[in-house]
Every structure is written in C-alpha cells, then in structure tokens.
Amino acid sequence: MKNAMFAALAALFALASPLAAQESAMPPDEPKWSIAIHGGAGTLDPDRMTAERRAEYEAALQEALDAGAAVLADGGSAVDAVKAAIIPMENSPLFNAGKGAVFTWEGRNELDASIMDGRDRSAGAVTGVTTIRNPILLADAVRSESEHVFLMGKGAESFAATQGIETAPPEYFATESRREALERMKARELSALDVDHKFGTVGAVALDSQGNLAAGTSTGGMTGKRWGRIGDAPVIGAGTYADNRSCAVSATGWGEYFIRVGVAQEICSRLRFVESEAFAAMMADGDATGPAELDDDLRTEMQQRVADAVMAEVKQLGGDGGVILVTPEGNALYSFNTTGMYRGRANSEGLSEVAIFGGEAEAGASNTPDH
C-alpha cells in the first residue's frame, strides 16, 4: 500500500532539481515572461452585473494588465511590472485599493501594501497609511531604500517624505459608494461580509525575461475595520510572497484566514518541496524511478493542485478568497473558492485575457464556489 501510494505521488509530482527546472523552463535563447493580476475575489452575481458595469471592470483590468505586460515585453524587471500593473488599479475607484478604498469604522481610508522580489526575497510593506497616493510605491521604497521590511502609519508616511513618494489629501481616496457601504453596515448592524460582496484588494505577480519573479498586493482592508485591524495584504507570507525557486503569489479575500494559513508562502513552500531532492529521494524510496522531467501539462496540473489544496484549507477554516500565482516556467494560474475573481493574465506567447466569474478563462484557473 505504501509503495503504491508513493508511486502514485511520483507519477504526478516527481520533478527535476530546481536548477534543471529553471533551465528547462527558461532556455537562454528563448526568454519568456508572464504576468497575472487580480482585483478582488468574492460573491459576484452575474445576474446583477450590467453589461456597462462589466465593460468598465474589464477595461480597468485590461489597462492594468497591459501596463505590466508592456514593462516585461520591453525587457523590464518583474518588480517594475508588478508596480506598473498595480498603480492603475490603485488609481481606479472600482477597486478597494488607493482611490476607492473602503472606510474604517471611524470613517477613514487606511491603506496597506506589500511587494517582494523573488531574486533575493527582499520585501517591503506598509500598513495604515492615509495620505500615500500609491501605497505599492511606498512598499517598494521600504524594500529597496530602507533596512526594514514593514512600516506602519505615521512612521511609514514620514519615511515616504524622505523618498519623495507622492501624497494625496484624505478626501482623494473617498468615494460615495464606499461611504454608503459603511453607513449600511452601521445602520443595520451588519458584518463587513454583508456589505462587501467582493474583496477588492488588488495584486500582481510576474516572471521577467531574466527568470526573476515578483509579487505585490495593495488594499484598503475591510469595511468598518476597527482597532487598527490589519489583514493579509501587507503581511509577507500571507498575502504576498515571491521566491525564484518556486513561485510568486498575491492573495485576496478574508485576510484573517489567509494569515492563519500563511497562504502565499505555503503555496510557494509546497511547490519548492516537490522540486526538491528530498522529495525525489522520498519518491525513490517508494519504488519510484526518482526525479524525472514532466511534460508541461502535467507540471501545470501539479502546480494548480497545490494552489487549490491551500485554498481548500482556507475554505475549511471558513474563509473566502483567491490567489494568483506565476511559476518559474511562466505558468500564470488562479485559484479561488468564491463565485468570482476579477483577474487577468498575459505572456510572451501572445496570451492576453481578463475574466470576472468562475468558469471564464477556464484553462489554468480553478474555483470551487460552493461554501
């Protein structure tokens, strides 16, 4: 029984060493790049989405996707592509990040963001800022221009001033629809989930033509959040993680559960393990033949299953949301346990698509909306 189990695992998961996988996926004479974005996952009802509203979201997603893809197509870095993709979504009132962020219980817009470079696992994050026009740029300045990883509130804004980060007055971030959501929540004693039918956190993950990965996430949190609540988006390992040895991940959803599972790093760690010599040795002990090159379809299936398994844990605990990830081979994947996720992906082979509901852009996207 044990040998049969190991053999079955080997058939699905046995891989070459990380170095061999990188060389196979990224031959020197065929540089490739890939990017995926999200604009939130949650309870999305196709019947309540007008054609005009859908077109508005699709256009905003395409703008963000095109901005990140243009950086990569020009030979730019994954980190720069992630920033380029996130900035338009922070600037759009359609998403819960930057302009259009949700309100706290006290009626403020408090912004969080994080970014990570898979080359050296350098990372930067900020939380609770109220005057930073594009929090993802401040998070990257923390990563590249400070000795720290995570700054908060007034301290983060003081650091921003030393870096010339653009600011905006608090009223710039406020939108009437978000204010009405807070008022409904207070008047009817609702939970954040009752007024936030989608989680509008935005994010991007990218693989550049040099074979480097990066991930970034930006959010306004949950409607009516209190007592300085912080979700997963600025938490390295929960909402954002990138490691050239495995993958880059950005998450969106009910942050408390993503923190408890450590979703972003958990996905990367599992993928790194199945690429490891230790896993190959375990497979060999189970009468498998040892590490072997997989065809592209089987490798992609394995990566999708890993992401789905971690999202299943989130669902089991009671959490909703989704993830996007890019692997060293350039696979851009989604996994979400909600009815929809605003998302898109593009690559050097000509793919460029955006989608909203489950079942759209089906290849390489998995969702299990029953919950």
Side-chain angles (χ1 to χ4, degrees):
M1 178 67 71
K2 179 180 177 182
N3 288 350
M5 178 186 70
F6 278 128
L9 283 170
L12 179 61
F13 293 123
L15 301 171
S17 69
L19 178 59
Q22 183 89 346
E23 290 172 346
S24 174
M26 300 289 295
D29 58 337
E30 296 181 21
K32 63 170 64 177
W33 55 262
S34 184
I35 185 170
I37 64 169
H38 71 74
T43 305
L44 304 174
D45 184 353
D47 294 333
R48 298 180 63 181
M49 175 75 74
T50 65
E52 293 78 12
R53 191 66 166 167
R54 179 176 184 126
E56 192 176 10
Y57 271 105
E58 288 178 343
L61 290 168
Q62 193 67 57
E63 178 187 2
L65 186 63
D66 290 347
V71 171
L72 296 170
D74 198 38
S77 73
V79 166
D80 286 344
V82 163
K83 291 186 291 183
I86 288 176
I87 287 171
M89 293 189 284
E90 288 182 330
N91 293 342
S92 170
L94 294 176
F95 304 105
N96 175 22
K99 185 177 182 67
V102 300
F103 283 88
T104 68
W105 186 263
E106 295 77 18
R108 290 155 44 98
N109 305 113
E110 294 181 353
L111 313 172
D112 308 330
S114 62
I115 193 166
M116 189 167 185
D117 188 337
R119 292 176 298 180
D120 56 4
R121 283 173 284 168
S122 60
V126 294
T127 188
V129 298
T130 60
T131 64
I132 304 302
R133 186 182 182 94
N134 293 111
I136 194 65
L137 296 181
L138 179 53
D140 192 51
V142 173
R143 179 192 69 84
S144 62
E145 303 299 328
S146 83
E147 63 270 38
H148 305 302
V149 170
F150 204 166
L151 300 182
M152 64 175 286
K154 293 298 183 183
E157 293 179 346
S158 295
F159 173 72
T162 72
Q163 301 299 309
I165 301 293
E166 185 177 0
T167 60
E171 56 268 25
Y172 164 81
F173 304 99
T175 59
E176 191 58 32
S177 62
R178 298 298 193 185
R179 195 182 301 278
E180 289 174 356
L182 176 65
E183 290 172 355
R184 290 200 312 274
M185 179 183 184
K186 288 185 173 183
R188 304 178 192 174
E189 296 183 352
L190 302 173
S191 74
L193 300 182
D194 292 319
V195 296
D196 286 341
H197 296 291
K198 65 178 180 65
F199 304 98
T201 294
V202 307
V205 292
L207 168 76
D208 63 33
S209 57
Q210 290 74 49
N212 296 314
L213 296 166
T217 313
S218 182
T219 191
M222 296 184 77
T223 298
K225 62 183 181 181
R226 305 177 75 176
W227 308 299
R229 179 263 186 189
I230 301 169
D232 65 303
V235 178
I236 301 299
T240 301
Y241 202 76
D243 185 340
N244 276 12
R245 299 171 297 179
S246 54
C247 66
V249 177
S250 175
T252 174
W254 195 343
E256 281 72 11
Y257 293 94
F258 283 74
I259 293 172
R260 288 164 62 183
V261 175
V263 166
Q265 187 173 11
E266 181 71 9
I267 291 172
C268 289
S269 295
R270 291 191 190 189
L271 289 182
R272 183 184 169 203
F273 175 68
V274 298
E275 296 275 6
S276 70
E277 293 181 4
F279 187 82
M282 183 180 76
M283 292 299 95
D285 287 343
D287 295 336
T289 58
E293 287 292 344
L294 296 183
D295 63 56
D296 291 342
D297 289 343
L298 193 53
R299 184 184 292 272
T300 302
E301 180 185 353
M302 178 276 296
Q303 293 164 343
Q304 185 70 60
R305 288 193 179 197
V306 167
D308 291 346
V310 175
M311 286 307 303
E313 285 192 32
V314 173
K315 179 180 177 180
Q316 186 176 34
L317 292 177
D320 286 353
V323 295
I324 55 174
L325 63 148
V326 167
T327 70
E329 300 78 31
N331 292 326
L333 307 174
Y334 320 117
S335 184
F336 50 101
N337 61 16
T338 55
T339 56
M341 181 167 73
Y342 296 102
R343 61 199 189 275
R345 58 186 173 183
N347 63 29
S348 53
E349 298 175 355
L351 173 69
S352 181
E353 64 183 16
V354 297
I356 297 176
F357 300 104
E360 300 174 346
E362 194 70 31
S366 177
N367 73 297
T368 52
D370 54 311
H371 60 278

